[in-house]
Amino acid sequence: MSARLTPGDEAPAFTLPDADGTEVSLADHKGRKVIVYFYPAALTPGCTKQACDFTDNLDLLAGAGYDVIGISPDAPEKLAKFREKENLKVTLLADPDKKVLDAYGAFGEKKNYGKTYMGVIRSTIVVDEEGKVAHALYNVRATGHVAKIIKDLGI
């Protein structure tokens, strides 16, 4: 498990396939602010709620200069199903090797019902136009999280 990012850190570079298998890099968004959120699994209730909240607020976020990227360990095919089923508009990227999840401190030890295991830590990292971490939020809740981000960013 890697260390968590803090504001001022250089956001780790990445290139991952989207739901259509097209490579997307953080560098593609240089000069824009990017909200990168990490979630455990497509097509699950909490992750669906979070993705739908981001989609519902995408115009507002884009209007304030933010791009939104969701990253999970799912395969591109599953992300495509997720996007179609829920009519999602956010960019969904596949990180089956969990290398980007790890680089962002979004994969590690979790506890649930007294059991400890390795898994995705629901996290949101806001990257500024220069590629630096502006906000790093870990162990966030799926419900209400997007509204909190909008409030915290003053949008």
Side-chain angles (χ1 to χ4, degrees):
M1 182 176 129
S2 62
R4 292 185 170 185
L5 299 175
T6 55
D9 287 349
E10 190 73 32
F14 62 77
T15 301
L16 293 169
D18 69 7
D20 300 313
T22 305
E23 298 280 305
V24 175
S25 299
L26 182 60
D28 298 341
H29 298 269
K30 190 99 172 125
R32 300 245 331 142
K33 295 175 275 196
V34 186
I35 296 170
V36 183
Y37 78 96
F38 298 91
Y39 62 99
L43 301 167
T44 58
C47 298
T48 297
K49 173 82 177 109
Q50 188 178 22
C52 288
D53 280 354
F54 271 118
T55 292
D56 292 347
N57 288 286
L58 202 56
D59 288 343
L60 177 70
L61 291 164
Y66 290 90
D67 295 336
V68 179
I69 297 173
I71 299 177
S72 74
D74 298 304
E77 300 78 25
K78 187 172 179 188
L79 296 179
K81 278 187 197 142
F82 187 35
R83 181 186 62 199
E84 307 316 318
K85 181 175 188 282
E86 302 300 336
N87 202 22
L88 301 174
K89 302 283 183 252
V90 296
T91 301
L92 300 174
L93 303 182
D95 184 19
D97 298 334
K98 303 176 188 74
K99 286 187 172 80
V100 177
L101 284 155
D102 195 47
Y104 277 77
F107 187 81
E109 203 171 84
K110 294 173 67 166
K111 286 186 171 40
N112 198 11
Y113 301 112
K115 294 207 182 324
T116 302
Y117 61 97
M118 296 300 281
V120 175
I121 298 162
R122 192 182 301 276
S123 313
T124 300
I125 309 298
V126 180
V127 180
D128 69 15
E129 299 91 336
E130 305 301 314
K132 300 256 189 246
V133 174
H135 300 273
L137 309 161
Y138 291 94
N139 294 309
V140 301
R141 294 196 170 284
T143 305
H145 178 60
V146 175
K148 181 182 179 339
I149 289 172
I150 289 168
K151 185 172 178 266
D152 289 354
L153 295 175
I155 299 171

